[in-house]
Amino acid sequence: MRKHKIWTLLIVLSLLAACKQPQSLTPSVSEVAQIKANGTSIRLFCLTNRNGMTIKVTNFAASLTSVSVPDKKGNFEQVVLGFDSLESYLGKHPKFGATVGRFANRIKHGEFCLDNQIFQLEKNSKGNSVHGGSRGFNTQVFETDTFYVVKDTAIVVFSYKSAHLEGGFPGNLNLSIAYKLTDRNEVILDYTATTDQPTVVNFTNHSYFNLTGCKEPVLNHLYTLHADSITPVDSTGVPTGELKAVTGTEYDFRTPRTAEKQIRRMMGKTYDINYKLNKHPDSLELVATVTEPVSGRILKAYTTEPGMQFYIPSSNMDYLNGHGNRKYGKYYGFCLEMQHFPDSPNKPQFPSTVLRPGEIYRQTTIYKFENSPATKCHLRIKSVPPPY
């Protein structure tokens, strides 16, 4: 009888171990690396939550460099494209994880009129100004204001002072962006900005997500985008000013579908288009859900912004050594760039991007990570015979 009880206890303990219940951690944030570039400190911070999820952020371009989340079996992997070294972010790359501004996306002919004054910007792409020009926020070193933990949230706050006429934009602009990691596996980006002269602003985050663990192209992800229309563009990528319904087009992701068949229908043309989101102005709402069926990872995106640039790059990125020295290929990431509409300063019918003295610009974007339920471990042992 005693041997029988001992044997039963051993089996129960082994089954409990097999369940691999996650260990509860304490939310934390710490500086994990620092380098000098032209006498300026480039700093890297790691944020961890109670579930073991981690993100890393750097004050270079206020970039999100790393997001590690579990799949349905509990295996943690990177789900954003990026680098393991800070030095790599100083070189050429497609704005991995960067904060983009002063005006994200395109301004036609690199100019706009504000209060009867014309402002000329750098024309850095097809005769237009894109992402603030060649010296936009994605190339700037931000100040690290603070980093700390409050209850269930780890926080790092960066700031940047953009001088009057930097990039051609009027006004001395003060931008603050807080990265927050919660115990609900949410990556929260809170932006605030003020100016001393009338100006235009449009900020976004340029992270490339890949829920396979950055191991495969993203064409077989299931995309659901809460948008009934897009802002169609001309040959240079600038909106025409119209709204086009997605019904019956390759842009219709109102129900879950992959991008692979649609890109094949478009003869290899990929997605790089702004969606008019189905949401109330300035309210924080769910606007996109992306699922990777094999890993079971799910990304839910929320924003206060009226638009979202859906982008899947078709260029081959195998010239870059990514996380874990991995080579990224074609269609290896997707971007959900929360934003106001491109060329809004020249399109009065679009939501306004004008910021005036005494006003406070605010934006919140959330990337929340989930996974499909893993197999649960149930112990229902009535009697276990001894091994004889």
Side-chain angles (χ1 to χ4, degrees), residues 67-219:
V67 178
S68 178
V69 298
D71 63 9
K72 61 186 177 183
K73 296 181 180 179
N75 300 313
F76 283 79
E77 292 180 301
Q78 289 287 345
V79 293
V80 294
L81 305 187
F83 306 109
D84 291 331
S85 70
L86 281 174
E87 287 85 355
S88 296
Y89 286 93
L90 306 182
K92 183 181 178 181
H93 63 88
K95 301 178 179 65
F96 283 159
T99 295
V100 175
R102 189 183 289 198
F103 198 96
N105 220 303
R106 291 156 178 81
I107 294 181
K108 188 173 184 177
H109 299 324
E111 66 178 30
F112 65 94
C113 182
L114 178 60
D115 295 343
N116 299 316
Q117 183 176 354
I118 295 176
F119 293 92
Q120 186 64 55
L121 313 174
E122 177 189 0
K123 300 177 182 180
N124 61 320
S125 177
K126 300 180 180 179
N128 305 310
S129 176
V130 179
H131 291 331
S134 61
R135 295 294 298 164
F137 289 1
N138 62 288
T139 68
Q140 304 299 329
V141 179
F142 283 56
E143 294 292 327
T144 303
D145 287 353
T146 186
F147 56 98
Y148 56 97
V149 174
V150 175
K151 296 182 179 179
D152 68 345
T153 304
I155 303 168
V156 177
V157 183
F158 299 123
S159 65
Y160 181 69
K161 296 181 179 180
S162 179
H164 175 56
L165 295 182
E166 181 181 76
F169 294 93
N172 294 296
L173 183 83
N174 291 312
L175 169 65
S176 175
I177 175 171
Y179 281 99
K180 304 175 181 179
L181 175 62
T182 75
D183 285 348
R184 295 173 296 281
N185 286 5
E186 298 166 322
V187 181
I188 302 175
L189 288 70
D190 278 335
Y191 305 75
T192 59
T194 59
T195 182
D196 63 357
Q197 296 183 44
T199 190
V200 294
V201 294
N202 189 19
F203 312 121
T204 195
N205 177 269
H206 212 282
S207 289
Y208 294 74
F209 297 99
N210 185 321
L211 302 182
T212 69
C214 303
K215 296 179 291 189
E216 302 287 342
V218 299
L219 299 184

Side-chain angles (χ1 to χ4, degrees), residues 195 356-360:
T195 182
R356 297 185 180 278
E359 299 176 341
I360 301 177

Side-chain angles (χ1 to χ4, degrees), residues 248-252 257 259-269 271:
T249 75
E250 61 270 21
Y251 298 105
D252 191 351
R257 61 198 298 191
E260 183 175 26
K261 290 183 179 179
Q262 308 312 312
I263 288 178
R264 195 177 299 136
R265 281 178 56 190
M266 294 188 290
M267 305 295 290
K269 180 183 175 183
Y271 288 95

Side-chain angles (χ1 to χ4, degrees), residues 10 100 129 134 203 220 227 231 235 237 287 344 370 379 382:
L10 289 173
V100 175
S129 176
S134 61
F203 312 121
N220 287 319
T231 54
S235 60
V287 298
S344 290
E370 301 177 354
L379 297 179
K382 292 183 179 180

Side-chain angles (χ1 to χ4, degrees), residues 269-280:
K269 180 183 175 183
T270 189
Y271 288 95
D272 190 7
I273 194 72
N274 173 68
Y275 282 80
K276 177 184 181 296
L277 298 170
N278 297 343
K279 61 184 296 297
H280 297 90

